[in-house]
Amino acid sequence: MKQYFKRHIGDRYDGWRVRKVDAVFSIIPFIMRTRLDSQNFFEETVPIEHLEMFIRKHKDEMPELSLMHIVMAATIRLIALRPYLNRFVVWNKIFARNHINMSLIIKRKLSNVETMIKPEFEPEDTLYDVVRRVSEEVNKNVADDAVNSSDETCNALLKLPAFVMRFVVKLLYGLDNIGLLPKKLFNVSPWHCSAFITNVGSLGIGPIYHHLYEFGTCSLFIAMGNKQRTTTVNAEGKPVTRRGIGLKFVTDERICDGQYYAASMKMMRKLLEKPELLLEPPAQVVVDDGVTNKRLI
Protein backbone atom coordinates (compact mmCIF):
# COMPACT_ATOMS: atom_id res chain seq x y z
CA MET A 1 0.00 0.00 0.00
CA LYS A 2 1.42 3.36 -1.01
CA GLN A 3 1.73 6.04 1.62
CA TYR A 4 1.99 9.67 0.62
CA PHE A 5 2.85 12.37 3.13
CA LYS A 6 2.21 16.06 2.89
CA ARG A 7 5.41 18.07 2.57
CA HIS A 8 6.38 20.37 5.41
CA ILE A 9 8.94 23.16 5.67
CA GLY A 10 12.39 21.62 5.39
CA ASP A 11 11.27 18.62 3.31
CA ARG A 12 12.45 18.06 -0.26
CA TYR A 13 10.39 16.89 -3.21
CA ASP A 14 12.47 13.70 -3.21
CA GLY A 15 12.51 13.09 0.55
CA TRP A 16 11.22 14.03 3.99
CA ARG A 17 13.45 15.59 6.62
CA VAL A 18 14.37 13.08 9.34
CA ARG A 19 13.89 14.92 12.61
CA LYS A 20 13.34 12.10 15.08
CA VAL A 21 16.90 10.84 15.42
CA ASP A 22 19.48 10.38 18.17
CA ALA A 23 21.43 13.53 19.00
CA VAL A 24 24.71 12.02 17.85
CA PHE A 25 23.25 11.33 14.40
CA SER A 26 22.13 14.94 14.15
CA ILE A 27 25.72 16.04 14.74
CA ILE A 28 27.54 13.43 12.60
CA PRO A 29 26.63 15.03 9.21
CA PHE A 30 28.37 18.22 10.36
CA ILE A 31 31.49 16.29 11.41
CA MET A 32 31.61 13.97 8.40
CA ARG A 33 30.54 16.43 5.76
CA THR A 34 31.02 14.33 2.62
CA ARG A 35 30.07 10.84 1.49
CA LEU A 36 33.70 10.03 0.78
CA ASP A 37 34.46 10.82 4.41
CA SER A 38 31.60 8.58 5.58
CA GLN A 39 32.06 5.41 3.55
CA ASN A 40 31.80 1.97 5.12
CA PHE A 41 32.74 -1.19 3.28
CA PHE A 42 31.14 -4.63 3.54
CA GLU A 43 31.72 -7.85 1.63
CA GLU A 44 29.54 -10.93 1.23
CA THR A 45 30.09 -14.15 -0.73
CA VAL A 46 26.84 -15.72 -1.90
CA PRO A 47 26.61 -19.40 -2.89
CA ILE A 48 24.79 -19.62 -6.21
CA GLU A 49 23.98 -23.30 -6.82
CA HIS A 50 20.48 -22.85 -5.39
CA LEU A 51 20.07 -19.52 -7.18
CA GLU A 52 20.94 -21.09 -10.53
CA MET A 53 18.43 -23.88 -9.86
CA PHE A 54 15.85 -21.24 -8.95
CA ILE A 55 16.52 -19.37 -12.21
CA ARG A 56 16.16 -22.54 -14.29
CA LYS A 57 12.90 -23.36 -12.49
CA HIS A 58 11.36 -19.97 -13.27
CA LYS A 59 12.90 -19.36 -16.70
CA ASP A 60 9.65 -20.05 -18.55
CA GLU A 61 7.69 -17.40 -16.64
CA MET A 62 10.64 -14.97 -16.44
CA PRO A 63 12.84 -15.61 -19.53
CA GLU A 64 15.19 -12.71 -18.75
CA LEU A 65 15.69 -13.64 -15.08
CA SER A 66 19.33 -13.45 -13.95
CA LEU A 67 21.37 -13.30 -10.77
CA MET A 68 21.44 -9.52 -11.02
CA HIS A 69 17.64 -9.36 -11.02
CA ILE A 70 17.58 -11.41 -7.83
CA VAL A 71 20.13 -9.15 -6.14
CA MET A 72 18.14 -6.08 -7.21
CA ALA A 73 14.87 -7.57 -5.97
CA ALA A 74 16.50 -8.49 -2.66
CA THR A 75 17.79 -4.91 -2.31
CA ILE A 76 14.34 -3.45 -2.99
CA ARG A 77 12.77 -5.81 -0.47
CA LEU A 78 15.46 -4.86 2.03
CA ILE A 79 14.66 -1.17 1.58
CA ALA A 80 10.93 -1.89 1.99
CA LEU A 81 11.61 -3.62 5.32
CA ARG A 82 14.60 -1.56 6.50
CA PRO A 83 13.71 2.02 5.48
CA TYR A 84 16.77 3.67 7.07
CA LEU A 85 18.73 2.26 4.11
CA ASN A 86 16.74 4.60 1.88
CA ARG A 87 17.92 7.71 3.68
CA PHE A 88 20.41 10.23 2.34
CA VAL A 89 22.35 13.23 3.60
CA VAL A 90 22.39 16.59 1.84
CA TRP A 91 23.86 19.77 3.28
CA ASN A 92 24.37 18.23 6.74
CA LYS A 93 20.74 17.10 7.00
CA ILE A 94 19.30 13.57 6.93
CA PHE A 95 16.33 12.85 4.66
CA ALA A 96 14.10 9.81 4.11
CA ARG A 97 13.71 9.19 0.39
CA ASN A 98 10.05 9.05 -0.67
CA HIS A 99 10.58 6.61 -3.54
CA ILE A 100 12.71 3.62 -4.54
CA ASN A 101 14.86 3.57 -7.66
CA MET A 102 18.11 1.96 -8.71
CA SER A 103 20.72 3.14 -11.19
CA LEU A 104 22.74 0.79 -13.36
CA ILE A 105 24.92 0.91 -16.42
CA ILE A 106 24.02 -1.06 -19.54
CA LYS A 107 25.83 -1.49 -22.84
CA ARG A 108 24.37 -0.89 -26.26
CA LYS A 109 23.64 -4.00 -28.27
CA LEU A 110 26.36 -3.69 -30.95
CA SER A 111 28.60 -0.73 -30.17
CA ASN A 112 29.18 -1.60 -26.49
CA VAL A 113 28.75 2.10 -25.70
CA GLU A 114 27.59 2.54 -22.10
CA THR A 115 24.49 4.35 -20.95
CA MET A 116 22.73 4.62 -17.60
CA ILE A 117 19.16 3.75 -16.68
CA LYS A 118 17.23 4.36 -13.47
CA PRO A 119 14.11 2.19 -13.17
CA GLU A 120 11.56 3.08 -10.49
CA PHE A 121 10.14 0.48 -8.11
CA GLU A 122 7.43 0.15 -5.50
CA PRO A 123 8.16 -1.29 -2.03
CA GLU A 124 5.55 -4.00 -2.69
CA ASP A 125 7.30 -5.17 -5.88
CA THR A 126 8.00 -8.87 -6.29
CA LEU A 127 10.76 -10.46 -8.34
CA TYR A 128 8.31 -10.64 -11.26
CA ASP A 129 7.81 -6.86 -11.08
CA VAL A 130 11.55 -6.17 -10.86
CA VAL A 131 12.35 -8.31 -13.92
CA ARG A 132 9.55 -6.62 -15.86
CA ARG A 133 10.50 -3.05 -14.89
CA VAL A 134 14.21 -3.56 -15.56
CA SER A 135 13.56 -5.33 -18.87
CA GLU A 136 11.32 -2.48 -20.03
CA GLU A 137 14.04 0.08 -19.32
CA VAL A 138 16.77 -2.03 -20.91
CA ASN A 139 14.71 -2.69 -24.04
CA LYS A 140 14.07 1.04 -24.45
CA ASN A 141 17.75 1.92 -24.20
CA VAL A 142 19.79 -1.02 -25.47
CA ALA A 143 19.55 -0.23 -29.20
CA ASP A 144 22.57 1.60 -30.64
CA ASP A 145 20.38 4.43 -31.97
CA ALA A 146 18.47 4.86 -28.71
CA VAL A 147 19.00 8.19 -26.98
CA ASN A 148 17.61 8.62 -23.49
CA SER A 149 17.16 11.82 -21.52
CA SER A 150 20.36 11.19 -19.55
CA ASP A 151 22.39 10.97 -22.78
CA GLU A 152 20.74 14.09 -24.17
CA THR A 153 21.49 16.07 -21.01
CA CYS A 154 25.13 14.98 -20.97
CA ASN A 155 25.55 15.82 -24.65
CA ALA A 156 24.06 19.28 -24.10
CA LEU A 157 26.37 19.98 -21.16
CA LEU A 158 29.42 18.84 -23.11
CA LYS A 159 28.82 21.62 -25.62
CA LEU A 160 29.54 24.22 -22.93
CA PRO A 161 33.02 25.76 -22.60
CA ALA A 162 34.97 24.45 -19.61
CA PHE A 163 34.67 27.65 -17.57
CA VAL A 164 30.88 27.69 -18.09
CA MET A 165 30.67 23.98 -17.29
CA ARG A 166 32.44 24.54 -13.96
CA PHE A 167 29.97 27.28 -13.08
CA VAL A 168 26.94 25.17 -14.11
CA VAL A 169 28.09 22.16 -12.07
CA LYS A 170 28.74 24.37 -9.04
CA LEU A 171 25.27 25.86 -9.48
CA LEU A 172 23.69 22.39 -9.68
CA TYR A 173 25.47 21.38 -6.47
CA GLY A 174 24.09 24.49 -4.76
CA LEU A 175 20.55 23.97 -6.02
CA ASP A 176 20.62 20.33 -4.94
CA ASN A 177 21.81 21.33 -1.46
CA ILE A 178 18.70 23.42 -0.91
CA GLY A 179 16.33 21.02 -2.66
CA LEU A 180 15.77 23.18 -5.74
CA LEU A 181 17.46 21.05 -8.40
CA PRO A 182 15.07 21.10 -11.40
CA LYS A 183 12.98 17.92 -11.46
CA LYS A 184 13.90 17.35 -15.09
CA LEU A 185 17.56 17.06 -14.09
CA PHE A 186 16.67 14.99 -11.04
CA ASN A 187 14.77 12.52 -13.22
CA VAL A 188 17.72 11.98 -15.58
CA SER A 189 20.46 12.01 -12.93
CA PRO A 190 21.72 8.48 -12.14
CA TRP A 191 23.33 9.86 -8.98
CA HIS A 192 19.98 10.58 -7.33
CA CYS A 193 18.92 7.05 -6.45
CA SER A 194 18.25 4.63 -3.63
CA ALA A 195 21.12 2.42 -4.73
CA PHE A 196 23.61 2.11 -7.58
CA ILE A 197 24.41 -1.42 -8.75
CA THR A 198 27.07 -2.64 -11.15
CA ASN A 199 27.89 -6.11 -12.42
CA VAL A 200 31.66 -6.10 -12.91
CA GLY A 201 31.46 -9.88 -13.15
CA SER A 202 30.50 -9.34 -16.79
CA LEU A 203 34.05 -8.03 -17.23
CA GLY A 204 35.46 -11.26 -15.82
CA ILE A 205 36.67 -9.82 -12.52
CA GLY A 206 35.69 -10.05 -8.87
CA PRO A 207 33.65 -7.36 -7.11
CA ILE A 208 35.16 -3.97 -6.35
CA TYR A 209 34.52 -1.39 -3.66
CA HIS A 210 33.04 1.40 -5.72
CA HIS A 211 33.05 4.84 -4.12
CA LEU A 212 29.88 6.80 -3.45
CA TYR A 213 29.29 9.96 -5.44
CA GLU A 214 29.40 13.42 -3.89
CA PHE A 215 26.82 14.75 -6.33
CA GLY A 216 23.35 13.33 -5.84
CA THR A 217 21.79 11.35 -3.00
CA CYS A 218 23.01 7.75 -3.42
CA SER A 219 23.92 6.19 -0.06
CA LEU A 220 24.41 2.58 -1.21
CA PHE A 221 26.62 1.14 -3.96
CA ILE A 222 26.55 -2.60 -4.74
CA ALA A 223 29.08 -4.35 -6.97
CA MET A 224 28.64 -7.94 -8.18
CA GLY A 225 31.65 -10.02 -9.17
CA ASN A 226 32.11 -12.99 -11.46
CA LYS A 227 31.27 -16.58 -10.56
CA GLN A 228 34.06 -18.25 -8.61
CA ARG A 229 34.75 -21.43 -6.72
CA THR A 230 35.51 -21.05 -3.02
CA THR A 231 36.58 -23.67 -0.50
CA THR A 232 35.17 -23.54 3.02
CA VAL A 233 35.07 -25.88 5.98
CA ASN A 234 31.74 -27.47 6.91
CA ALA A 235 30.42 -28.31 10.38
CA GLU A 236 32.33 -31.61 10.35
CA GLY A 237 35.60 -29.85 9.63
CA LYS A 238 35.83 -31.11 6.05
CA PRO A 239 36.67 -28.82 3.10
CA VAL A 240 33.76 -28.11 0.79
CA THR A 241 34.08 -26.40 -2.60
CA ARG A 242 31.14 -24.26 -3.63
CA ARG A 243 30.36 -21.92 -6.49
CA GLY A 244 29.48 -18.37 -5.58
CA ILE A 245 29.64 -14.70 -6.42
CA GLY A 246 31.09 -11.88 -4.38
CA LEU A 247 29.10 -8.82 -3.44
CA LYS A 248 30.71 -5.65 -2.12
CA PHE A 249 28.73 -2.86 -0.53
CA VAL A 250 29.80 0.74 0.05
CA THR A 251 27.47 2.59 2.40
CA ASP A 252 27.09 6.00 4.01
CA GLU A 253 27.45 5.52 7.76
CA ARG A 254 25.62 8.78 8.52
CA ILE A 255 22.18 7.40 7.63
CA CYS A 256 22.02 4.65 10.28
CA ASP A 257 24.18 2.91 12.88
CA GLY A 258 26.32 -0.21 12.52
CA GLN A 259 23.81 -2.45 14.29
CA TYR A 260 21.10 -1.48 11.81
CA TYR A 261 23.46 -2.15 8.89
CA ALA A 262 24.49 -5.53 10.35
CA ALA A 263 20.88 -6.65 10.80
CA SER A 264 20.12 -5.47 7.26
CA MET A 265 23.00 -7.45 5.76
CA LYS A 266 21.79 -10.57 7.60
CA MET A 267 18.35 -10.04 6.10
CA MET A 268 19.92 -9.58 2.65
CA ARG A 269 21.72 -12.90 3.06
CA LYS A 270 18.45 -14.61 4.05
CA LEU A 271 16.67 -13.23 0.99
CA LEU A 272 19.44 -14.47 -1.30
CA GLU A 273 19.41 -17.87 0.41
CA LYS A 274 15.64 -18.12 -0.05
CA PRO A 275 14.76 -16.26 -3.27
CA GLU A 276 11.28 -17.81 -3.13
CA LEU A 277 10.47 -15.08 -0.59
CA LEU A 278 10.82 -12.53 -3.39
CA LEU A 279 8.01 -14.08 -5.44
CA GLU A 280 5.44 -12.65 -3.03
CA PRO A 281 5.06 -9.03 -1.89
CA PRO A 282 6.17 -8.20 1.65
CA ALA A 283 3.56 -8.79 4.34
CA GLN A 284 4.12 -5.21 5.50
CA VAL A 285 6.02 -2.17 4.25
CA VAL A 286 7.88 -0.40 7.05
CA VAL A 287 7.73 3.41 7.02
CA ASP A 288 10.69 5.43 8.31
CA ASP A 289 9.87 6.33 11.92
CA GLY A 290 12.29 9.24 11.84
CA VAL A 291 9.84 11.33 9.82
CA THR A 292 7.56 13.33 12.13
CA ASN A 293 4.31 15.18 11.45
CA LYS A 294 3.25 12.55 8.94
CA ARG A 295 -0.12 13.22 7.37
CA LEU A 296 -1.58 10.91 4.75
CA ILE A 297 -2.92 12.71 1.70
Side-chain angles (χ1 to χ4, degrees):
M1 182 184 298
K2 293 183 181 179
Q3 301 195 53
Y4 300 92
F5 302 113
K6 186 176 179 64
R7 283 178 61 187
H8 293 267
I9 295 175
D11 293 338
R12 295 164 52 101
Y13 62 75
D14 57 342
W16 302 290
R17 176 77 182 277
V18 174
R19 293 179 171 86
K20 184 181 175 184
V21 66
D22 293 341
V24 66
F25 267 88
S26 297
I27 298 298
I28 282 178
F30 291 91
I31 305 301
M32 294 183 289
R33 293 178 293 176
T34 68
R35 289 191 185 87
L36 296 181
D37 190 32
S38 313
Q39 293 179 137
N40 279 336
F41 306 90
F42 180 80
E43 180 179 6
E44 184 71 74
T45 299
V46 181
I48 59 172
E49 288 94 344
H50 67 291
L51 291 176
E52 291 177 326
M53 290 177 60
F54 176 85
I55 290 172
R56 288 194 292 270
K57 180 179 178 181
H58 295 277
K59 206 65 175 176
D60 289 339
E61 50 192 324
M62 293 181 282
E64 296 172 312
L65 179 61
S66 67
L67 289 172
M68 190 164 183
H69 289 117
I70 297 175
V71 173
M72 292 181 71
T75 303
I76 294 160
R77 181 62 50 85
L78 195 64
I79 290 172
L81 300 176
R82 309 284 293 175
Y84 291 11
L85 299 180
N86 207 19
R87 291 177 172 181
F88 59 91
V89 177
V90 172
W91 215 19
N92 315 114
K93 303 178 186 70
I94 304 174
F95 295 88
R97 192 176 277 102
N98 55 22
H99 59 279
I100 301 176
N101 53 16
M102 295 186 74
S103 295
L104 62 153
I105 297 173
I106 63 171
K107 289 191 175 184
R108 307 291 190 185
K109 193 172 289 185
L110 298 176
S111 63
N112 267 347
V113 173
E114 292 183 344
T115 188
M116 294 185 183
I117 61 173
K118 187 172 66 172
E120 295 273 346
F121 303 97
E122 299 295 338
E124 301 88 356
D125 277 352
T126 65
L127 180 59
Y128 299 108
D129 299 315
V130 173
V131 172
R132 174 177 54 82
R133 292 179 192 272
V134 174
S135 297
E136 288 173 354
E137 286 295 313
V138 170
N139 292 336
K140 284 191 299 185
N141 293 279
V142 75
D144 286 86
D145 58 351
V147 180
N148 57 31
S149 299
S150 180
D151 293 333
E152 290 176 337
T153 303
C154 289
N155 289 332
L157 290 174
L158 286 174
K159 295 178 181 178
L160 300 174
F163 73 95
V164 177
M165 181 71 162
R166 283 190 288 268
F167 171 78
V168 169
V169 171
K170 188 174 182 179
L171 176 63
L172 294 179
Y173 266 97
L175 291 174
D176 198 22
N177 282 342
I178 58 177
L180 294 179
L181 185 74
K183 285 189 178 181
K184 185 176 181 181
L185 291 178
F186 168 83
N187 291 333
V188 302
S189 167
W191 303 287
H192 292 78
C193 62
S194 303
F196 209 118
I197 185 167
T198 182
N199 181 12
V200 295
S202 62
L203 305 176
I205 62 173
I208 63 170
Y209 288 117
H210 195 292
H211 63 87
L212 297 175
Y213 297 100
E214 275 307 305
F215 183 66
T217 59
C218 180
S219 300
L220 174 63
F221 206 113
I222 305 171
M224 291 177 53
N226 59 346
K227 299 176 183 179
Q228 296 180 340
R229 293 186 180 275
T230 58
T231 301
T232 58
V233 179
N234 62 15
E236 289 76 33
K238 296 180 180 179
V240 177
T241 300
R242 306 183 69 178
R243 297 177 66 248
I245 58 168
L247 296 176
K248 289 190 175 180
F249 303 81
V250 179
T251 63
D252 187 338
E253 76 165 287
R254 299 173 296 175
I255 62 174
C256 61
D257 59 40
Q259 184 177 2
Y260 194 92
Y261 269 131
S264 300
M265 290 302 107
K266 289 178 182 177
M267 184 178 291
M268 180 77 163
R269 188 184 308 141
K270 178 182 177 182
L271 291 169
L272 293 175
E273 289 174 350
K274 298 180 178 179
E276 298 82 9
L277 297 172
L278 301 172
L279 297 176
E280 299 292 334
Q284 180 185 11
V285 174
V286 181
V287 179
D288 195 316
D289 59 9
V291 180
T292 59
N293 300 320
K294 291 177 281 197
R295 289 196 297 168
L296 282 172
I297 60 172

